[in-house]
Amino acid sequence: MPRVVIAAFKPKLGKRNELAAVIKKHWGILSDQGLVTDRQCYVMEAADGTILEVFEWKSSEAIEQAHHNPVILALWQEFEAACEYVPLSSLKESQHLFSEFQPITFPQDAT
């Protein structure tokens, strides 16, 4: 059964562009590894600069496979160099009934 996740990435000081570059390629790599569905991925930004990504894993098993996949583990190291993972509840927007975020769109030809 597919699993929709919301991941929140707070950029480390001076690392926003590096984080954006990793997020830009994240879903494509997950897709290349056969771990996510074809459902569109959404990327947005909170007022404090935290970047959120919403996407759909193929299954709980796919999530587990990612934790043993060297390609994904290398990608996650890039994330760890550029950000801290934060809970959705830490964002001011999550305290509102209808949370609003700024959309982020990446150029199609960029990796």
Side-chain angles (χ1 to χ4, degrees):
M1 173 172 283
R3 308 299 305 158
V4 174
V5 297
I6 303 171
F9 311 107
K10 186 171 185 76
K12 291 182 179 177
L13 189 60
K15 298 287 187 174
R16 191 213 183 269
N17 289 341
E18 290 88 341
L19 176 58
V22 176
I23 291 172
K24 191 183 323 184
K25 64 183 179 179
H26 185 222
W27 187 89
I29 291 173
L30 292 174
S31 180
D32 290 345
Q33 297 298 306
L35 300 170
V36 293
T37 68
D38 291 334
R39 189 179 302 269
Q40 182 177 352
C41 171
Y42 291 95
V43 181
M44 60 204 81
E45 189 169 15
D48 72 353
T50 298
I51 300 176
L52 296 97
E53 183 182 31
V54 181
F55 63 96
E56 185 176 74
W57 292 97
K58 283 189 173 178
S59 63
S60 294
E61 292 79 18
I63 296 170
E64 180 61 29
Q65 289 171 9
H67 286 86
H68 302 285
N69 181 314
V71 174
I72 303 304
L73 293 174
L75 181 66
W76 288 349
Q77 286 182 342
E78 291 183 52
F79 271 104
E80 290 171 10
C83 74
E84 296 177 38
Y85 303 102
V86 298
L88 187 60
S89 63
S90 70
L91 301 177
K92 183 176 91 173
E93 291 87 347
S94 72
Q95 305 308 308
H96 301 283
L97 185 58
F98 296 98
S99 303
E100 295 182 23
F101 299 95
Q102 180 69 34
I104 297 175
T105 304
F106 299 116
Q108 292 295 336
D109 60 334
T111 57

